[in-house]
Amino acid sequence: QSAASTTNRWILSPGAAPLSTKATSLSQATIIIGPESGFDADEVQSCESVGFNGLQLGPRVMRTETAGPAAIAILQMRFGDISVV
C-alpha cells in the first residue's frame, strides 16, 4: 500500500494520538468506530496491520451512535467547509 492510501485511515481509540495539526488538507478518510465496550487489543492490531492508525478526537469517550457524527464534524471543521468564527 502506498503512503497516500494509508494516511487517512483511522481507528478511533481513546489511548491513541490526537489528530495531527500538521495536516493541511483531507479529501477522503476512513474511520472505524468501535462498539460500546471499545476495541480489544487484537482488533486494534488487526486494523493497524492493514494500514489504519489509531486516532483520538479528544479526552471524552463517546457512545457509538455519537462518535461518528462527532468525528465527521471535527474533520469537517479541521479540513472542510465548517469554520468557527
Side-chain angles (χ1 to χ4, degrees):
Q1 290 181 342
S2 69
S5 68
T6 61
T7 303
N8 301 318
R9 297 176 74 187
W10 295 300
I11 176 171
L12 295 185
S13 176
L19 184 62
S20 172
T21 57
K22 295 177 184 178
T24 58
S25 66
L26 176 70
S27 62
Q28 184 175 339
T30 302
I31 302 171
I32 298 176
I33 298 168
E36 291 295 325
S37 60
F39 293 108
D40 64 33
D42 289 339
E43 290 170 322
V44 172
Q45 184 178 22
S46 182
C47 290
E48 289 174 346
S49 73
V50 294
F52 283 82
N53 297 301
L55 175 65
Q56 176 196 135
L57 296 178
R60 245 175 243 276
V61 175
M62 297 179 206
R63 295 182 58 91
T64 298
E65 61 269 14
T66 57
I72 291 168
I74 290 166
L75 292 174
Q76 277 284 31
M77 188 175 82
R78 176 69 179 89
F79 300 107
D81 55 1
I82 296 174
S83 62
V84 177
V85 183

